[in-house]
């Protein structure tokens, strides 16, 4: 079982990172787990320039570390992403990865399971959590669990209550993957988003501009998503 954990904070030992490391520790109590733990602060990652080349070719032309991370995510059974809350939103680093990372149109997380972590100190944690959860579900993942933690700066987030919550939610995440559990409400929501939102938009643009979404169609084909290729 391949799991990718992404720390979207610039701090490797901050509250978000500590919670993600504890999640990793809990997952490692299972014998069949392979974890790739990524700190976004470690990677070379340029801003998206909105050129549409990834939609055409399936990969970004910018030569940095993003495509390697996306390749790891695309082959995972489950993805766990954590972020601190900045201005009621996800971190800047994580937003750049989302912009560059073939998430929504290409359905990067199709048939995967996801767990999210959001930390906050004052306000906005709920808004940031919704943004992160929507990124996961709109990208095709089943959201197994979501963790929000209000914590003062530099305080230890891993009190006894939080550890117990983590163990419960990590177990749900693990069992979802192992049993390939279906969450009916999420399935219906994703079906509506993809069939009534993403597909029609891609088809309309592809019919007007030849080749503009060939890279997206390639991703759909690789993920065995039902579609018609517009030439």
């Amino acid at each position: 079982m391949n799991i990718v954990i992404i720390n979207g904070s610039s701090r490797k030992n901050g509250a978000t990172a500590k919670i993600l490391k504890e999640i990793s520790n809990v997952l490692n109590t299972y014998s069949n787990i392979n974890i790739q733990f990524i700190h976004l602060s470690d990677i070379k990652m340029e801003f998206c320039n909105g050129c549409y080349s990834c939609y055409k070719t399936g990969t970004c032309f910018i030569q940095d570390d993003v495509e390697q991370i996306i390749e790891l995510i695309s082959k995972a059974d489950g993805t766990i992403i954590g972020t601190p809350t900045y201005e009621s939103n996800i971190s800047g680093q994580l937003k750049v990865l989302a912009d560059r990372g073939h998430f929504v149109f290409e359905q990067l997380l199709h048939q995967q399971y996801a767990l999210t972590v959001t930390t906050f100190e004052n306000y906005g944690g709920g808004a940031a959590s919704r943004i992160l959860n929507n990124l996961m579900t709109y990208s095709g993942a089943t959201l197994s669990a979501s963790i929000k933690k209000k914590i003062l700066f530099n305080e230890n987030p891993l009190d006894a209550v939080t550890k117990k919550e983590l163990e419960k939610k990590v177990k749900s995440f693990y069992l979802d993957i192992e049993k390939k559990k279906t969450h009916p409400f999420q399935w219906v929501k994703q079906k509506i988003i993809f069939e009534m939102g993403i597909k029609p938009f891609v088809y309309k643009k592809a019919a007007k501009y030849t080749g503009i979404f060939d890279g997206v169609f390639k991703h759909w084909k690789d993920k065995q998503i039902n579609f018609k290729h517009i030439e």
Side-chain angles (χ1 to χ4, degrees), residues 198-209:
I198 295 173
K199 257 189 181 182
F201 177 83
V202 170
Y203 286 166
K204 182 178 180 180
K205 296 280 281 189
K208 187 175 181 180
Y209 303 105

Side-chain angles (χ1 to χ4, degrees), residues 77-124:
D77 299 296
T79 299
I80 300 171
I81 299 181
T83 182
T85 298
Y86 298 151
E87 305 297 336
S88 301
N89 211 321
I90 62 177
S91 70
Q93 296 95 318
L94 185 53
K95 182 60 169 65
V96 173
L97 180 67
D99 290 345
R100 291 277 310 282
H102 315 297
F103 278 86
V104 177
F105 275 141
E106 298 92 332
Q107 294 292 282
L108 179 66
L109 303 176
H110 180 65
Q111 293 187 335
Q112 282 197 37
Y113 293 85
L115 189 156
T116 64
V117 174
T118 307
T119 59
F120 63 107
E121 184 174 8
N122 185 18
Y123 68 93

Side-chain angles (χ1 to χ4, degrees), residues 111-162:
Q111 293 187 335
Q112 282 197 37
Y113 293 85
L115 189 156
T116 64
V117 174
T118 307
T119 59
F120 63 107
E121 184 174 8
N122 185 18
Y123 68 93
S129 179
R130 285 191 294 274
I131 289 168
L132 182 52
N133 292 345
N134 284 339
L135 174 65
M136 305 299 255
T137 56
Y138 292 175
S139 302
T142 297
L143 185 64
S144 298
S146 181
I147 297 166
K148 288 186 296 182
K149 179 65 178 179
K150 186 174 184 179
I151 182 73
L152 293 176
F153 185 71
N154 276 343
E155 282 198 358
N156 181 11
L158 297 172
D159 54 78
V161 173
T162 301

Side-chain angles (χ1 to χ4, degrees), residues 14 47 51 61 80 84 146 156-157 160 178 185:
F47 292 117
C51 69
F61 80 94
I80 300 171
S146 181
N156 181 11
E178 186 179 55
F185 177 77

